[in-house]
Amino acid sequence: MYIVMLASECAPVAKVGGLGDVVFGLSREIEIRGNAVEIILPKYDCMRYDQIWGLQISYQDLWVPWFNYFVHCTVWFGFVHGRKCFFIEPHSPENFFNRGAYYGFPDEHLRFAFFTKAALEFMFKTGKRPDVIHTHDWQTALAPVLLYEIYAAHGMGNCRVCHTIHNFKHQGIAGENVLWLTGLGRPPYYFDRQRLGDDFNPTAINYMKGAIVYSNFVTTVSPRHAWEARHTEWGYGLGHTLYVYQNKFRGILNGLDYDMWNPMSDPAIPSHYDAETFDKKRENKRALRERLWLRQADEKPLIAYVGRLDMQKGVGLIRHAIFRALHKGAQFVLLGSSPELGINADFWRLKHELNDNPDCHLEIGYDEDLAHQIYAGADMLVVPSLFEPCGLTQMIALRYGTVPIVRWVGGLADTVFDRDYADCPVERRNGYVFHQSDHLAIESAMDRAIALWYVEPEEFVALARNGMACDYSWNRPGAEYQELYDYIRHK
Ligand code: ADP
């Protein structure tokens, strides 16, 4: 099959979060399975150009219809760690992608509507007729609408669209002007609530809703989150639309890049190990304690948190976990940062408060290498998210033989199974799970984990080894997406 990925991010060249990792990881897996894959991205000025090989102009003069005129674009081509990527560069006074940052501008809905339109125009003009166009999140959600309403009539009628929702919170809300700019026009037609009309704002269209209505298939990043999006507030108002289109909506768990996250070859960690040589993990714990000036008390378990400090991640519970760990005789390491000044300030205060505690270290900031060292050195990792579409940190922890303690939501519920209570065979149980989002709930899970570490250390290692035996690589999700592409291709 011939697949084109349309996205606003692709790791490592243009990455802000998990979306970039998924676009890269899935593209590679689909390619390994014998398909042709191309990725189309905006040409941001702030991209990591050192991660692109052989960057050259591929299409000099692409004229993209925009309102009642044309915008001149140049399309570039280059390899990003083996992936074939096209980068669209508009030459317009708005300077859509030359602003020194990927996101965060007031005309965001126009920037990405333009990118989507330009990508389709590029495929149309160059005769690219992919079997499947795979779009991601709200930024490229207008693609299926444009495809079926405009381009299908011009020879692209055989292309199918799969849309993946990574985060329901941001949906792409815009007014009538986008319809005129993109050439869709006909406001009464698109403002109809059966098409793009937002369910809560009669004066707005909703890109993501459009993708759900028009795509041949819609996925989100874990089966549990697919259920939550339909039945709980985590669908952010799209529950009804998902209900209407439930036959073409499902959750497929994201994969983890098993080359990058591999305790046997990770260049960032001092001692390499696998399930057979699990003892060597201890050396990483020692090195981590040394780096973070923690007391080298061998008899204490080390609990960690790595991730954004965001309301979504359960900051109140993270804070509580620190004190609970110290109270129960464990050490705690935190690595995280927040774009919200209030939350950051709060954790800086906490850092100062705990500054003299030899069993605790809070690192406020972003540090890729330290993250690797923490996954390798810690005994347990807490992930108390309020909601979590998929979540990577628990999967990384499992890969590194670090026992996850998670709240039962989204992708966490699909990947971590409680050692004492899970409804699955003992050898599949790989961590600790709690349900409610209150202090007692997280305490009960942490206390059970700490008790096992102290009282039955061999059982604790067996649990960590169960985690290492899980396969959360791209292998299975890759197969599922390939099947899905094949299914919609024949529809
Ligand atoms: P989200 O995409 O919601 O932020 P995920 O769990 O899907 O959360 O992905 C988080 C990824 O970012 C993980 O690979 C994690 O190791 C990394 N990460 C998050 N915060 C930091 C940080 N402060 N320093 C280093 N890596 C981080």
Side-chain angles (χ1 to χ4, degrees), residues 260-398:
M260 186 165 127
W261 297 104
N262 183 357
M264 270 307 263
S265 57
D266 191 332
I269 64 174
S271 169
H272 293 148
Y273 61 98
D274 61 7
E276 271 68 58
T277 52
F278 192 80
D279 270 358
K280 293 198 194 157
K281 183 171 161 68
R282 207 177 291 158
E283 176 52 31
N284 293 307
K285 183 172 175 180
R286 203 197 53 72
L288 179 65
R289 282 165 153 176
E290 196 172 295
R291 172 167 177 183
L292 302 179
W293 305 290
L294 292 184
R295 170 165 45 192
Q296 292 283 0
D298 261 333
E299 72 284 0
K300 288 194 176 199
L302 180 57
I303 306 183
Y305 173 81
V306 179
R308 289 183 295 123
L309 298 171
D310 183 289
M311 288 318 283
Q312 174 199 338
K313 302 288 177 185
V315 273
L317 292 178
I318 295 168
R319 199 174 199 285
H320 188 70
I322 299 173
F323 290 104
R324 188 66 184 177
L326 298 176
H327 174 68
K328 294 299 271 186
Q331 297 185 310
F332 202 98
V333 166
L334 175 142
L335 169 61
S337 63
S338 169
E340 278 178 55
L341 295 179
I343 298 181
N344 248 355
D346 201 31
F347 275 87
W348 272 107
R349 261 196 304 277
L350 194 60
K351 184 179 165 73
H352 286 129
E353 189 183 319
L354 294 166
N355 207 20
D356 296 330
N357 192 319
D359 287 325
C360 181
H361 183 93
L362 311 190
E363 186 73 28
I364 319 276
Y366 190 94
D367 188 331
E368 198 82 47
D369 278 357
L370 181 59
H372 284 247
Q373 287 154 17
I374 292 176
Y375 292 118
D379 296 298
M380 306 160 204
L381 184 92
V382 285
V383 196
S385 304
L386 299 184
F387 75 95
E388 191 62 80
C390 177
L392 285 178
T393 57
Q394 84 282 11
M395 296 202 241
I396 304 171
L398 289 168

